[in-house]
Amino acid sequence: MKVAFATQDLKRVDAHFGWAKNIAIYDLDPEGYRFIETVEFDGDLKEDGNEDKLAPKIEAIKDCAILYVAAIGGSGAARVVANNIHPMKVAQPEQISDLLGKLQDVLKGNPPPWLRKALAKGQERTLDFED
């Protein structure tokens, strides 16, 4: 399962989704996690009402099941959810590695229904039927 993190410093979830300079993407399963990539954004990211700034971010995370943010606006949250990505808001900046560890522990146990659904994202496969 791919997980995205809105981050300014590449170490913590410390960014508003719309204003984030970076989105770090990791692949996670119960056995561990690995860094995939950082997607960088520039331009005037703090311009409220500029919905165009969200399109490249949504595109960058479209394969992710979960997005961790410090904050997210209503329209951004709606667009994230419409792409079957579960937004998770942190109350204060948290280390990405800590969040990955906590999520991994939940996966080892009995994940809640929303997380089981998120796990299924990216697992869809086309079935090959034999004649």
Side-chain angles (χ1 to χ4, degrees):
M1 162 176 74
K2 289 185 182 174
V3 183
F5 300 88
T7 178
Q8 303 297 47
D9 66 6
L10 301 176
K11 293 177 174 57
R12 301 173 302 150
V13 174
D14 61 355
H16 183 289
F17 180 59
W19 303 348
K21 289 188 226 169
N22 306 292
I23 295 181
I25 300 175
Y26 288 77
D27 194 22
L28 171 84
D29 63 34
E31 284 73 52
Y33 58 86
R34 69 180 176 85
F35 172 74
I36 297 175
E37 68 176 321
T38 299
V39 183
E40 296 180 37
F41 301 93
D42 53 16
D44 188 4
L45 299 173
K46 291 195 177 186
E47 183 181 335
D48 283 338
N50 179 4
E51 299 304 315
D52 291 339
K53 71 183 175 194
L54 295 179
K57 290 185 176 177
I58 299 290
E59 182 64 24
I61 65 168
K62 70 176 188 250
D63 294 336
C64 296
I66 300 172
L67 166 67
Y68 280 88
V69 298
I72 189 167
S75 64
R79 290 172 73 177
V80 166
V81 170
N83 280 274
N84 295 317
I85 302 163
H86 191 87
M88 296 286 289
K89 191 172 153 187
V90 298
Q92 64 216 17
E94 285 195 54
Q95 294 290 327
I96 291 171
S97 58
D98 291 348
L99 291 167
L100 285 164
K102 289 176 190 174
L103 195 51
Q104 188 179 355
D105 287 343
V106 173
L107 293 180
K108 288 178 184 174
N110 185 17
W114 72 265
L115 187 52
R116 286 197 298 272
K117 184 177 177 185
L119 274 168
K121 184 171 183 166
Q123 302 291 324
E124 302 92 7
R125 300 276 186 258
T126 55
L127 299 176
D128 293 323
F129 294 100
E130 294 181 17
D131 291 7

